[in-house]
Amino acid sequence: MSSLFSFIRHRYDKIKGDTVHSHPKESDFRQKLKKELYEYNQVLHHGFPTKPSALAYDPSLQLLAIATKHGALRVYGAPDVEFCSTHESEETVTQLLFIPGEGRLVSLTCDNVLHLWEINSDDFNSTLEEKKTFDEFTSDGSKPKAISVISIFDKKLLLGTEDGDVHLLNLHSFKITDQVISQDVIMQNVPEDCKVVSTGSVEALQAHPTNKDKFLIGYDRGLIVLWDLKENKADVTFNASQQLESLCWNRNGKEFLSSHSDGSYVHWVVDDGNQPKEECIPYGPFPCKAISKIDWKTAEGDNEPFMIFSGGMARGSYGDKFTVSVIQGEKHVTFDFTSRVLDYTVLCKADEEPTDPGLEAGSIRDIPHSIIVLLEEEIVAIDLLSNGWPPFRLPYGNSIHASAITASSHVSNVPESLWKKIIDAGNQLFSSYSKREWPIRGGEKQETRKSRDILLTGHEDGSVKFWNVSSVSMELMYKVNTASYFEEGFTESDDADGIREPTEDEEPFRKIGHFDPYTDDPRLGVQRIFLCPVSDILVVAGTAGQVIVLQMEREQRELDIKVSKVNLVGDRDNFVWKGHNSLTVVSGDVRYNQGFQPQCILQMSPPAACTALSVHTEWQLLSAGTAHGFCLFDFCQRRSISATCTLSATETSATDDSSMSRRKSFKKSLRESFRRLRRRRSMGKTKKESGASNRLQEMKSDDGQRAISSPKMQAGRKLAPPTIEEDMPHAERAIEERGASGDGSQCSMVRCLQFADTYLTATVHSPSLLAGTNAGKVYIFSIVLPAYDKRDQEDVTARLSKEITLRHQAPVIGLSIIDGTYYPLPLALEVQNGRAKAPDMSGNHKLLVISEEQFKLFAMPTLKPEDKWKLTAHEGSRTRKVATCTFRSRSDEQYNEMNIACMTNMGQLSVYTIKGLRRQMNIDAINKIDINGIASCILASTGEGFYLSSSSEYARFSLSAAKVVKPACKLTLKDGLRTPEGTPQIIIENYDETHPTSRDSVVSRGELSAADMSLRSADMTQDEVVDYAHEEPELSPAAAAASASVAADDASNICNASETAGQTSDQLTNHHSPVAEEPVASSTLHSHNEVHSTVTTATVEVSP
């Protein structure tokens, strides 16, 4: 009778346009509050840019730029100064150049298009914006001219092509000039003994350091020409016998070097003409690889100059090495890297500091102080001023994938005492690094209040790294190498800092860098990490069932590590482990440096990978789980308390570390195929049917289970509804029981563990342990602790108190105890140290069970269901990551809420209230095909999150409106760089009768005429004004239309004024085309930039 009444009530709710799963409409106050609490922002990338392709450095502004094969562009200055953008085409960037001192860059992409970028600052809100493009070599309809090399020459850009020509691009207008230095003209100007059939492509272009009218042109076949642009002729010609790779000047402008494909370099003197002064093969005489780049830098005082080059190794002996060699007199070091050298740049004091105008150019010394090397997998910075030329510690661009990341964890609000201990331990560990400050100091950051946040990453080689993620830059603070605790990874010398001094046989080679993707033993890999910021305890669980408990210590100590073993499967019949063996712990006393030192090691058997870990530092207990079960361990007394096997009878035969046997996999594949076929047929039939009477309804019974109204559904099968009514807020999908095989993973696998002090009986709360498995089971254990003064003498006991089995056997991925105020219970020692408020222990506790398919609240201790949110039934997605987060109001720091944040397998991020389980926001954050990104996602307790956008880079996002870490920096330029002082600079190209093939740019200055004012007014076109109106997100449609109308009238007035001033309609029409644009005053362009910055700032201010 009750089922019939429930069915009638359900049908009545349908007619009203509501369902049993819908919630009342939220009030306007709640809607406004949600805007104060929640806002999605993806603002940062931490780590090393994926697949880098080009490097550039601006010594005047001290900015470093890196471009990638995916079109990403990153500009770095001082720590926390970063500017990022991406090419719209996402094409590979092949070359990158700074326009010195202007905060502008030029990039060349593989589609033969040049891009002009600007760093524009509005207070501390700076952006890297693409301003112009040049694609005339590919879009003019003629045969495309492939650009092979670009170089800055005064206020022009030299473009060398593969057919041997050199073109000049005006950097103000970003248009090509009529002046072309063709290959034919070059051949007419060279002596007869230097003439060749074909010079090949232009390989190198180098501006003369002392004469602004001259530059070197180097051709692929070895021909080198010193070209005088003013006289439009070849000044001197040089001819090398080998294929050319690169050129570099001596600062005096009288000598230069050329490097070649046979591993040699040649010293040329300009006055000596075609006769080289010296030819040298540094690693000869046997055949060598090419020297791809070379630099010649003069040192301070009477010291020997620096010779720096990449490559040149002997093919037979060292052809597989990736090197950069530094030679100064008798001092010779060859830095040996583990990935390919893409480019490097030498930082010199003479380029960064203003020089005395009274000094002659030839008397100025370069004084190199650092080298920045860009490799395929990392950045390495070398200090040339310190003894031994040690590397710098990187404040950004770190190779987080030096060893593959296998686990991660986030800890917020770290106490200052632990923070200092970690920094001190890291300084001691990295003591062989340079003591100098980071040499790149461009830009200015805004000083803001920072929290002390740490991101911990576990790696395949057994290391755990501590990263400072309190601000924009992510710097490596400290590193723990757990492999050294086992004989399989033990080494006598601790080279955790990545530096090892070479032996006599290895000189002059010196290993440098962190990237090492290979591991000696995969069993050393880290699977789970836990750090208690209050008790200074770190727990690391690994791939071979090892769980290591570490304690932070200030002093160096000698320890003999004790091992405790626990068997999870017990005396089960027919169980034989076929996987890998456990690791062997190092025996005897071992000296450990300051930092985290091992206290004890728990070894679980069978030695399968750890899949879940929970630690309670106040009770000094930990629980670890694998695919076979879980155990409770007392690390105070260093003994096992209990072990629970979760294997079913059918899983006993699958005794290796794989998820299922081959036979099971084949049977599962067939079963799934037949299910899909039946589902398609049933959906085809139901589409032809109409009427609500033919639909199958699912009811909620008094005991929280579903009442079935069809014989087919009683047999365990439910059909999806054929159509969805418009007034139904959610459509429920058919959810099938997963059975023994589930989704392909072992049902016995433990997915989550949680300690809590809650009510297992109606009157008394006590310590407890909760465990969730892949089979949809929840185990609840009651724990009895001895008195505090007898904690190390009496044993801890535990017994199974309750057990829950979910209907559809969906994997349980999260468990939490909620107090009477709907707040999760705080972590251990948080209340005692003032880091959290005391929980409500008066009763009314609830158990929050989060499975892949739904969220569900149970009352404690009766375990009666109270509320739920059916994620899979409503949306077809499954939960992958979940966390309870604190969301603070952006306008009132005193107000906060604790909510549930989750990541689904579709890449969606959602936030739900604990009370009522109502969704507050839902956003598509990650592409659903990015499986690695979704699997690596971390949801922090502060409302932030991280995920691997690639193997080498974390993307950082925020769901909280109040907690957003984003770049707050600016770039200050000298007056007169982008905008010349005085009146605007009008560029007029006049024909030069002296040289019929060239046009020179003549600059005229004077008072602004009506035509000049017209040019300046025409910079804001009607389209730009309309775009400005459309960028106001808060305007209603009517207001937006009215604003656009007014803007159009204003633009029309501007156009009319321009026509009155003498501008033709064609000029006005073509002015805002980036290709057909006439040269315009640089101040006019700067005025346009100011308008654009204003638009950007206005958009930020009005965004919710």
Side-chain angles (χ1 to χ4, degrees):
M1 190 67 182
S2 60
S3 299
L4 179 60
F5 178 74
S6 299
F7 177 78
I8 296 173
R9 184 180 60 184
H10 180 81
R11 298 292 298 173
Y12 178 70
D13 289 340
K14 288 272 189 174
I15 296 173
K16 291 178 60 179
D18 201 0
T19 69
V20 293
H21 305 292
S22 64
H23 297 287
K25 185 178 180 180
E26 293 180 332
S27 64
D28 293 340
F29 173 77
R30 181 62 190 176
Q31 292 291 338
K32 293 180 180 179
L33 184 60
K34 284 167 62 174
K35 294 181 179 181
E36 291 289 319
L37 294 173
Y38 316 111
E39 184 179 62
Y40 176 76
N41 290 284
Q42 183 171 329
V43 289
L44 285 176
H45 283 83
H46 294 304
F48 180 71
T50 308
K51 296 183 179 180
S53 58
L55 176 73
Y57 180 68
D58 185 347
S60 301
L61 298 177
Q62 296 193 37
L63 294 176
L64 182 75
I66 297 176
T68 72
K69 292 183 178 180
H70 300 299
L73 190 58
R74 308 284 165 78
V75 179
Y76 303 98
D80 293 338
V81 176
E82 295 184 15
F83 311 94
C84 303
S85 191
T86 304
H87 291 75
E88 186 176 355
S89 62
E90 297 186 356
E91 297 285 348
T92 298
V93 179
T94 57
Q95 295 185 56
L96 193 63
L97 287 175
F98 272 102
I99 302 176
E102 295 189 14
R104 291 177 176 174
L105 300 94
V106 177
S107 61
L108 173 64
T109 52
C110 64
D111 56 355
N112 211 40
V113 177
L114 289 166
H115 306 260
L116 178 65
W117 299 83
E118 281 187 359
I119 301 174
N120 292 315
S121 300
D122 180 16
D123 196 13
F124 285 96
N125 181 24
S126 299
T127 56
L128 179 60
E129 302 170 330
E130 183 178 7
K131 306 307 275 185
K132 296 181 180 180
T133 59
F134 173 79
D135 60 354
E136 291 183 12
F137 283 175
T138 58
S139 63
D140 59 358
S142 59
K143 182 181 178 181
K145 298 179 182 179
I147 301 174
S148 58
V149 62
I150 59 176
S151 179
I152 297 294
F153 177 70
D154 196 17
K155 295 298 182 181
K156 301 179 180 65
L157 185 69
L158 300 176
L159 309 179
T161 63
E162 291 186 359
D163 56 8
D165 298 337
V166 178
H167 298 261
L168 277 77
L169 184 78
N170 190 300
L171 287 173
H172 287 284
S173 62
F174 218 61
K175 288 184 177 181
I176 202 74
T177 65
D178 290 341
Q179 187 169 3
V180 179
I181 306 170
S182 66
Q183 186 183 87
D184 296 336
V185 174
I186 292 290
M187 297 307 297
Q188 294 173 7
N189 282 267
V190 300
E192 291 295 330
D193 57 345
C194 294
K195 289 185 177 181
V196 293
V197 177
S198 175
T199 61
S201 62
V202 179
E203 192 68 26
L205 294 166
Q206 283 289 329
H208 198 287
T210 60
N211 191 330
K212 294 185 177 181
D213 295 327
K214 298 180 181 181
F215 58 90
L216 285 173
I217 306 174
Y219 292 91
D220 178 62
R221 301 289 177 84
L223 177 65
I224 306 170
V225 177
L226 179 59
W227 188 262
D228 190 331
L229 187 64
K230 184 176 181 180
E231 300 296 331
N232 198 30
K233 68 181 183 69
D235 198 0
V236 188
T237 304
F238 313 88
N239 193 13
S241 58
Q242 294 294 330
Q243 180 178 325
L244 182 70
E245 293 290 332
S246 70
L247 297 169
C248 73
W249 280 101
N250 186 304
R251 199 173 189 88
N252 59 22
K254 301 176 182 178
E255 305 167 277
F256 68 91
L257 297 177
S258 62
S259 66
H260 301 273
S261 60
D262 64 342
S264 66
Y265 67 84
V266 182
H267 181 187
W268 305 89
V269 178
V270 174
D271 295 339
D272 292 347
N274 194 32
Q275 296 300 321
K277 182 178 180 180
E278 178 189 5
E279 295 185 31
C280 178
I281 304 179
Y283 298 104
F286 299 104
C288 297
K289 298 177 70 176
I291 295 179
S292 57
K293 184 177 181 179
I294 191 167
D295 277 283
W296 185 9
K297 303 296 181 182
T298 54
E300 190 172 13
D302 297 330
N303 294 323
E304 295 284 340
F306 284 84
M307 196 78 67
I308 304 168
F309 57 89
S310 60
M313 291 290 105
R315 292 183 181 274
S317 303
Y318 308 109
D320 59 341
K321 289 185 177 292
F322 311 109
T323 61
V324 170
S325 301
V326 182
I327 303 173
Q328 186 187 25
E330 296 182 355
K331 191 175 181 180
H332 182 179
V333 176
T334 302
F335 294 101
D336 186 7
F337 305 98
T338 56
S339 59
R340 187 166 65 94
V341 178
L342 299 179
D343 198 359
Y344 71 86
T345 184
V346 183
L347 280 57
C348 301
K349 289 185 177 179
D351 298 326
E352 298 169 351
E353 300 174 356
T355 57
D356 187 354
L359 295 175
E360 295 183 3
S363 64
I364 299 174
R365 299 283 180 169
D366 292 298
I367 314 178
H369 60 81
S370 306
I371 305 175
I372 308 296
V373 185
L374 176 64
L375 309 165
E376 274 189 332
E377 303 294 348
E378 62 181 326
I379 302 172
V380 176
I382 302 168
D383 180 9
L384 296 180
L385 296 183
S386 302
N387 293 330
W389 297 339
F392 286 97
R393 293 176 64 180
L394 300 180
Y396 43 69
N398 284 279
S399 176
I400 62 174
H401 67 310
S403 177
I405 296 176
T406 54
S408 53
S409 178
H410 182 272
V411 182
S412 61
N413 194 22
V414 176
E416 187 176 0
S417 58
L418 177 60
W419 188 266
K420 290 182 178 179
K421 291 177 184 178
I422 294 174
I423 290 177
D424 292 342
N427 290 337
Q428 183 187 34
L429 180 65
F430 302 118
S431 58
S432 56
Y433 279 71
S434 173
K435 304 300 188 297
R436 287 178 54 209
E437 293 183 0
W438 179 243
I440 301 174
R441 299 182 293 274
E444 181 183 353
K445 66 178 180 180
Q446 184 179 21
E447 296 297 333
T448 57
R449 186 180 63 182
K450 297 180 181 179
S451 60
R452 292 181 291 269
D453 298 340
I454 293 178
L455 178 66
L456 296 97
T457 56
H459 298 264
E460 192 179 26
D461 62 355
S463 62
V464 177
K465 296 181 180 179
F466 291 65
W467 304 94
N468 180 1
V469 292
S470 306
S471 57
V472 175
S473 299
M474 186 173 80
E475 184 178 6
L476 180 61
M477 303 172 64
Y478 176 61
K479 175 182 175 182
V480 177
N481 184 21
T482 63
S484 62
Y485 309 151
F486 304 95
E487 291 184 358
E488 290 81 357
F490 180 77
T491 55
E492 292 292 338
S493 60
D494 187 7
D495 59 347
D497 56 359
I499 302 175
R500 183 173 62 85
E501 290 298 325
T503 62
E504 293 183 1
D505 296 336
E506 295 174 331
E507 290 184 352
F509 295 99
R510 182 191 297 175
K511 288 283 186 182
I512 192 170
H514 288 280
F515 182 73
D516 184 10
Y518 308 105
T519 179
D520 297 330
D521 197 327
R523 295 175 297 172
L524 297 170
V526 176
Q527 295 296 321
R528 293 292 183 272
I529 312 170
F530 173 85
L531 174 64
C532 177
V534 180
S535 61
D536 299 356
I537 291 178
L538 173 69
V539 181
V540 181
T543 305
Q546 72 273 23
V547 182
I548 309 166
V549 181
L550 304 99
Q551 180 75 46
M552 170 60 77
E553 300 290 345
R554 280 284 195 181
E555 303 295 334
Q556 187 182 77
R557 296 195 307 172
E558 288 190 358
L559 300 171
D560 183 10
I561 308 175
K562 301 299 181 183
V563 183
S564 301
K565 297 183 179 181
V566 57
N567 191 343
L568 298 180
V569 297
D571 299 330
R572 289 207 170 223
D573 297 334
N574 303 325
F575 182 87
V576 179
W577 172 249
K578 298 179 182 178
H580 50 239
N581 296 325
S582 60
L583 295 167
T584 305
V585 179
V586 176
S587 59
D589 291 339
V590 180
R591 179 173 296 179
Y592 296 99
N593 292 327
Q594 170 189 354
F596 283 100
Q597 300 174 357
Q599 304 299 307
C600 62
I601 295 179
L602 169 67
Q603 179 62 58
M604 293 181 288
S605 179
C610 181
T611 58
L613 177 68
S614 182
V615 183
H616 200 289
T617 53
E618 182 181 1
W619 302 339
Q620 296 181 299
L621 300 176
L622 70 83
S623 181
T626 68
H628 306 97
F630 59 95
C631 67
L632 182 61
F633 181 73
D634 181 0
F635 58 85
C636 175
Q637 299 183 16
R638 300 180 184 180
R639 74 174 192 88
S640 175
I641 299 171
S642 67
T644 303
C645 180
T646 55
L647 285 172
S648 63
T650 57
E651 290 178 314
T652 305
S653 60
T655 56
D656 58 357
D657 201 23
S658 63
S659 60
M660 64 192 315
S661 65
R662 180 183 180 89
R663 180 182 176 187
K664 276 188 175 184
S665 179
F666 179 69
K667 290 171 68 177
K668 173 182 178 293
S669 178
L670 286 177
R671 182 166 53 250
E672 291 297 329
S673 297
F674 282 116
R675 284 176 178 172
R676 282 194 294 268
L677 287 173
R678 287 196 298 267
R679 191 179 299 116
R680 289 172 185 169
R681 290 172 182 171
S682 64
M683 289 298 293
K685 292 179 182 179
T686 53
K687 284 182 180 179
K688 298 178 182 179
E689 300 175 0
S690 61
S693 60
N694 294 329
R695 300 177 189 169
L696 299 177
Q697 302 295 335
E698 180 184 80
M699 298 290 98
K700 184 187 290 185
S701 62
D702 295 337
D703 59 353
Q705 302 298 327
R706 295 179 178 177
I708 310 296
S709 62
S710 169
K712 287 186 178 181
M713 295 180 68
Q714 291 175 0
R717 180 163 179 80
K718 191 187 83 168
L719 299 178
T723 58
I724 303 173
E725 296 179 7
E726 293 183 359
D727 55 354
M728 291 177 60
H730 299 291
E732 293 196 11
R733 292 164 173 80
I735 307 298
E736 298 179 353
E737 293 186 13
R738 303 199 177 195
S741 61
D743 59 352
S745 56
Q746 287 176 301
C747 293
S748 59
M749 181 181 295
V750 180
R751 295 291 297 272
C752 58
L753 293 162
Q754 183 67 45
F755 286 100
D757 185 4
T758 187
Y759 288 85
L760 298 183
T761 62
T763 57
V764 179
H765 60 86
S766 61
S768 60
L769 171 66
L770 297 84
T773 71
N774 247 3
K777 288 188 176 182
V778 178
Y779 300 90
I780 304 177
F781 282 78
S782 174
I783 301 174
V784 178
L785 296 171
Y788 178 78
D789 55 347
K790 299 180 180 180
R791 177 65 182 84
D792 56 350
Q793 301 173 4
E794 298 182 1
D795 294 342
V796 178
T797 60
R799 64 178 180 84
L800 182 61
S801 177
K802 298 179 183 295
E803 185 175 337
I804 305 173
T805 301
L806 300 181
R807 165 85 184 237
H808 295 295
Q809 303 177 11
V812 178
I813 63 172
L815 294 167
S816 181
I817 296 294
I818 311 299
D819 68 6
T821 60
Y822 286 91
Y823 270 71
L825 298 184
L827 299 176
L829 301 175
E830 293 278 324
V831 177
Q832 295 89 321
N833 289 272
R835 295 167 55 88
K837 65 178 182 179
D840 180 9
M841 301 301 293
S842 60
N844 297 323
H845 281 197
K846 294 169 180 60
L847 170 61
L848 174 62
V849 179
I850 301 175
S851 71
E852 286 189 354
E853 296 180 357
Q854 66 180 4
F855 306 161
K856 200 165 188 177
L857 277 173
F858 296 87
M860 295 292 289
T862 62
L863 296 182
K864 181 179 179 180
E866 290 195 351
D867 211 339
K868 65 180 175 181
W869 175 273
K870 296 187 287 188
L871 180 66
T872 305
H874 292 166
E875 302 175 10
S877 57
R878 294 181 179 180
T879 306
R880 286 290 178 259
K881 301 287 181 177
V882 67
T884 53
C885 307
T886 302
F887 293 89
R888 300 187 181 276
S889 171
R890 75 172 93 194
S891 59
D892 182 7
E893 294 185 359
Q894 301 302 318
Y895 182 82
N896 66 83
E897 291 184 4
M898 286 286 285
N899 297 135
I900 305 167
C902 87
M903 166 68 73
T904 71
N905 65 328
M906 305 299 289
Q908 294 178 330
L909 281 168
S910 303
V911 177
Y912 301 86
T913 61
I914 296 177
K915 184 177 182 179
L917 296 178
R918 299 183 182 182
R919 186 158 65 187
Q920 303 299 294
M921 70 176 299
N922 187 40
I923 189 74
D924 292 327
I926 307 176
N927 194 323
K928 62 182 179 182
I929 65 174
D930 187 3
I931 300 175
N932 292 330
I934 295 172
S936 63
C937 181
I938 313 166
L939 297 173
S941 60
T942 56
E944 292 183 290
F946 304 80
Y947 69 90
L948 286 172
S949 57
S950 67
S951 61
S952 64
E953 204 167 18
Y954 269 112
R956 184 171 187 167
F957 62 87
S958 175
L959 298 172
S960 172
K963 178 68 174 179
V964 182
V965 177
K966 60 182 180 180
C969 51
K970 67 178 181 179
L971 184 64
T972 304
L973 303 176
K974 294 181 180 179
D975 295 336
L977 286 176
R978 289 191 189 172
T979 307
E981 295 180 359
T983 56
Q985 186 183 46
I986 310 299
I987 300 172
I988 305 173
E989 295 190 358
N990 291 334
Y991 186 74
D992 189 351
E993 298 179 355
T994 306
H995 303 290
T997 61
S998 69
R999 288 189 180 183
D1000 294 335
S1001 297
V1002 180
V1003 178
S1004 63
R1005 297 178 179 270
E1007 296 182 358
L1008 281 174
S1009 64
D1012 298 332
M1013 294 178 64
S1014 171
L1015 274 174
R1016 189 161 188 167
S1017 301
D1019 237 32
M1020 179 179 287
T1021 65
Q1022 180 174 352
D1023 292 338
E1024 290 168 350
V1025 175
V1026 172
D1027 289 340
Y1028 182 93
H1030 281 290
E1031 287 186 11
E1032 297 284 349
E1034 290 292 338
L1035 290 177
S1036 64
S1043 178
S1045 175
V1046 173
D1049 292 339
D1050 292 341
S1052 177
N1053 294 334
I1054 291 173
C1055 294
N1056 292 336
S1058 301
E1059 291 174 357
T1060 304
Q1063 296 293 323
T1064 65
S1065 59
D1066 291 337
Q1067 289 174 326
L1068 289 173
T1069 303
N1070 295 330
H1071 176 67
H1072 54 83
S1073 173
V1075 176
E1077 184 180 35
E1078 290 295 326
V1080 187
S1082 57
S1083 61
T1084 308
L1085 296 175
H1086 184 68
S1087 174
H1088 176 74
N1089 295 340
E1090 290 178 347
V1091 172
H1092 187 82
S1093 299
T1094 305
V1095 173
T1096 304
T1097 306
T1099 305
V1100 172
E1101 289 176 354
V1102 300
S1103 61

